[in-house]
Amino acid sequence: MVTQLTRTVDLSKAFDKVNHHGLLIKLMKRKLPVNFPEIIARWLSMCYSVVKWNCVFSYVFDMKFDVRQGSVLSPFLFALYLDDI
């Protein structure tokens, strides 16, 4: 009797690991219209965040690794990022 092992992959944290520079390079290799990577680069450059701890906020810092969860475009960009793996 053969037992089949089932493994699940939790991709909920994977959206936070997408490197912006790597994503833009992959978009350029896809030979998409030139404007599309430029628009995505501008969109990603506007990713900022703060940390709140005990009602105190940190300084604003740039996000270099993430794709915004909840965005309509994020699953498409994430799929492109993982496509060649």
Side-chain angles (χ1 to χ4, degrees):
M1 184 171 158
V2 177
T3 335
Q4 183 178 3
L5 297 176
T6 307
R7 294 184 184 212
T8 58
V9 178
D10 182 16
L11 294 177
S12 62
K13 302 282 185 197
F15 277 71
D16 297 337
K17 305 296 182 197
V18 175
N19 182 330
H20 292 178
H21 183 71
L23 176 62
L24 292 173
I25 289 173
K26 290 181 182 196
L27 286 173
M28 287 183 238
K29 287 182 180 178
R30 288 279 182 167
K31 298 181 183 175
L32 297 168
V34 177
N35 293 345
F36 186 72
E38 289 176 358
I39 291 168
I40 297 301
R42 181 172 291 250
W43 183 62
L44 292 172
S45 71
M46 294 186 292
C47 291
Y48 300 101
S49 191
V50 296
V51 175
K52 180 182 176 185
W53 186 48
N54 290 335
C55 298
V56 177
F57 291 93
S58 71
Y59 292 107
V60 176
F61 56 91
D62 296 338
M63 300 295 293
K64 302 288 183 195
F65 294 89
D66 75 334
V67 176
R68 296 176 186 176
Q69 293 185 28
S71 168
V72 176
L73 193 56
S74 293
F76 172 72
L77 294 174
F78 183 71
L80 280 175
Y81 188 74
L82 290 181
D83 188 41
D84 58 350
I85 293 179

